[in-house]
Amino acid sequence: MIGRFLAGLKEDKRIWGQRVAGQGVVVPPVGYSETDGSAGGDWVEVKPTGVVTAVARVHRPIPHLHPCAEPFAFVLVKLDGADTALAHVVRDHLEQLRIGSRVEAVWAPDAERHGSIRDIACFRVIS
Amino acid sequence: MPKLRNVAVVGFAQAPIVARDEHRIATEMLYEQVRAALAQCGVEREAIDYQAAGSADYLDGRPFGFVAALDVMGSWPAKADLHLEMDASFAAYYAWLRIQTGDSDTALVCGYGKTSEGEPERVLNLQLDPYYQAAIGLDPTSTAALQASAWMARTGATDRDLAALAARRRAAGARNPDAQLHDPASAEDLAQTPWAVEPLRRGYLPPVGESAVCLVLAAEGKAEKMCDRPAWIRGVDQRIELQTLGGRDLSRSAGAKLATERALAMAGLARAAEVDVVELCATTPAEECILCEAMGLDAAGARPAINPSGGPLAGNPLMMTGLIRLGEAFRQLAGRADGHGVAGARRAIAHGAQGHCLQHNVVWVLGDERRWT
């Protein structure tokens, strides 16, 4: 399940979620319901845009742990079409970032997508 | 509610929390606490039927690091033992459960670990799933900041609110000789400290600290002989939530709410506010407010007294911060809290937590009288 989701990022720059009992459309999917343990259901493509539900601004990144060396923000993003939020980062225009901001996925270049959550390089603020 | 065995906390010893113990390894720190806890109870190790510990091999820096603790816990002749890579409050839960089975009457519960020798931000990244959350580099301060931001957005709480709460806990910690931070700080001062991860300032978070603790549990019949004022366990419950942070409402703690309701029901209490003392395993002011809301408590109220020890904001030794809450509840009920005692305390709640953003919560309800007759 995780492989199928990551393959979508790597090969098609598409983001897939899974319809799960008790949770709705889960992105990123883990293949089962975290609330009742039932198997995941239908795959549903969601948009690469969404709304920020939490913001943690990192002023001093930790080397070799955090994904960038410059100040950035961890965010939770509820993508359009999803019912759960994805943990990721925003690197630019941090002054415009707040809970409720709309953001869009920024893709890593083709040669740098390896089937990882970091195939989405970051999110950028669009409004 | 079925009738259970009455089990009490009868002893508790804690090394004062320090930034770094330069001279002793973790098990040496623990040995003194085991000896002190047994001495409080007036028994030797052969009086102990069962033992359980909470520690992290990742902090120890070696696989099966917990095995070294068996020597200092007094495991020979061989006895039943359990180790959790969790806060030792959960080890106490399993020890309580073991005593309920009837094959053990007494238990040692230990928590230990030298946080200063590892890199807790990197170690605790490994508590997250490896594909989505650990892989993006999340550390516990950042996840706590995500949670604080969600809670502040929902409630309208401000930076000043966090500073004011942190200052109150620092003032309380100044009266607790085992706390790490002994110097009071004003809300104004704390609000001037730099961001740890915004919206959390360094002044709102405990520094890296380490300790070692040993708590003794005993069933009715033995407890009274080991302690003049046992703290009887009247209710306990633990609940775990989703690992995926984005699958939860981080601004609330559904798990702490449910565990509190179940533990209070077991204890025969209607509301958490009926107790005199509450010790919460909250490592940020936002976590503390989220827990208070989940439990139906007023974080700024005078009674019940919340974290009169200063709580985790005045000292947060990983893997034992939750067990210290249980030990502090015992100290309050047994009249051993000295400088930070709450006058007339007869009932207490002790909370323990584990995982990012209060993922797993255990709630203990204690009292100076037995629950079941």
Side-chain angles (χ1 to χ4, degrees):
Chain A
M1 301 301 162
I2 291 169
R4 179 171 170 173
F5 170 80
L6 295 176
L9 304 184
K10 176 186 174 187
E11 291 163 13
D12 309 318
K13 293 194 281 192
R14 293 167 76 180
I15 303 174
W16 292 88
Q18 208 177 11
R19 200 174 293 282
V20 168
Q23 291 187 275
V25 176
V26 171
V27 180
V30 292
Y32 54 88
S33 167
E34 285 190 273
T35 58
D36 71 8
S38 61
D42 295 341
W43 288 82
V44 179
E45 186 175 6
V46 299
K47 295 276 189 359
T49 53
V51 63
V52 171
T53 63
V55 179
R57 296 172 193 272
V58 178
H59 296 266
R60 297 188 312 151
I62 302 172
H64 311 298
L65 176 64
H66 288 160
C68 31
E70 300 300 315
F72 70 100
F74 283 114
V75 288
L76 294 180
V77 182
K78 189 180 279 192
L79 295 172
D80 296 328
D83 293 304
T84 66
L86 168 79
H88 221 285
V89 299
V90 171
R91 302 169 100 148
D92 301 314
H93 302 292
L94 296 172
E95 71 285 353
Q96 298 171 23
L97 174 66
R98 50 190 48 85
I99 289 177
S101 292
R102 289 197 51 79
V103 292
E104 176 180 52
V106 177
W107 295 95
D110 288 354
E112 294 172 23
R113 291 200 310 278
H114 308 293
S116 153
I117 192 66
R118 286 158 81 162
D119 288 356
I120 300 172
C122 61
F123 280 80
R124 70 179 182 88
V125 180
I126 51 178
S127 69
Chain B
M1 181 60 59
K3 186 177 168 182
L4 300 176
R5 292 186 88 187
N6 286 308
V7 177
V9 181
V10 293
F12 177 68
Q14 177 192 348
I17 305 166
V18 293
R20 182 178 176 89
D21 187 319
E22 289 283 357
H23 304 293
R24 297 182 297 178
I25 61 173
T27 45
E28 288 178 290
M29 294 173 70
L30 178 60
Y31 177 71
E32 286 183 12
Q33 311 318 315
V34 173
R35 298 309 305 168
L38 291 174
Q40 283 176 25
C41 299
V43 299
E44 267 299 336
R45 67 190 192 185
E46 70 275 5
I48 303 299
D49 300 327
Y50 185 69
Q51 58 189 38
S55 72
D57 284 1
Y58 277 109
L59 291 172
D60 245 0
R62 54 181 170 175
F64 294 92
F66 65 91
V67 174
L70 299 181
D71 292 341
V72 302
M73 288 170 74
S75 311
W76 187 260
K79 60 182 71 165
D81 173 87
L82 172 76
H83 176 259
L84 299 179
E85 296 266 338
M86 299 175 73
D87 187 286
S89 189
F90 293 90
Y93 177 85
Y94 282 96
W96 173 84
L97 207 58
R98 183 68 181 240
I99 292 173
Q100 293 301 332
T101 68
D103 77 347
S104 301
D105 294 333
T106 53
L108 277 187
V109 184
C110 293
Y112 63 96
K114 295 201 70 178
T115 314
S116 70
E117 293 179 356
E119 294 178 277
E121 302 281 318
R122 289 178 209 278
V123 168
L124 295 176
N125 166 269
L126 302 173
Q127 285 185 323
L128 297 163
D129 83 273
Y131 303 105
Y132 300 143
Q133 298 179 119
I136 206 72
L138 283 164
D139 61 273
T141 309
S142 295
T143 54
L146 285 172
Q147 180 165 43
S149 77
W151 172 75
M152 292 166 84
R154 177 172 66 80
T155 62
T158 64
D159 185 42
R160 260 327 276 266
D161 297 325
L162 299 185
L165 183 55
R168 285 203 297 279
R169 298 301 171 252
R170 288 280 291 265
R175 296 189 289 274
N176 175 7
D178 287 338
Q180 183 176 353
L181 298 177
H182 287 118
D183 47 327
S186 69
E188 291 75 17
D189 290 344
L190 295 178
Q192 296 295 317
T193 57
W195 297 114
V197 176
E198 191 179 341
L200 298 174
R201 295 182 184 276
R202 276 189 236 165
Y204 307 165
L205 302 176
V208 169
E210 59 200 23
S211 178
V213 299
C214 178
L215 179 134
V216 186
L217 294 177
E220 183 174 8
K222 292 188 177 171
E224 304 86 337
K225 300 185 178 76
M226 296 168 74
C227 182
D228 57 349
R229 292 170 69 180
W232 297 100
I233 295 163
R234 297 175 61 88
V236 60
D237 197 83
Q238 58 158 332
R239 298 286 154 172
I240 193 161
E241 295 187 56
L242 315 190
Q243 188 179 35
T244 305
L245 299 173
R248 295 159 51 189
D249 176 356
L250 287 185
S251 76
R252 292 181 169 87
S253 179
K257 184 172 191 289
L258 185 56
T260 303
E261 289 168 359
R262 299 292 177 99
L264 288 170
M266 187 188 285
L269 295 180
R271 299 182 308 125
E274 292 175 31
V275 307
D276 304 300
V277 185
V278 179
E279 281 280 341
L280 299 175
C281 188
T283 57
T284 77
E287 278 187 2
E288 189 171 320
C289 293
I290 290 167
L291 286 170
C292 282
E293 182 183 329
M295 294 183 166
L297 295 167
D298 176 5
R303 201 83 172 194
I306 296 175
N307 286 356
S309 67
L313 298 186
N316 179 32
L318 290 179
M319 314 314 291
M320 60 201 102
T321 305
L323 185 63
I324 291 171
R325 310 281 68 78
L326 185 58
E328 281 292 338
F330 164 69
R331 284 173 165 170
Q332 292 289 350
L333 298 184
R336 300 184 189 181
D338 297 334
H340 59 286
V342 174
R346 297 189 58 199
R347 290 172 177 160
I349 288 176
H351 161 264
Q354 172 72 33
H356 290 248
C357 300
L358 301 170
Q359 186 193 359
H360 193 173
N361 297 273
V362 58
V363 176
W364 302 86
V365 182
L366 299 108
D368 65 352
E369 294 180 337
R370 293 166 186 76
R371 172 71 178 95
W372 293 280
T373 53

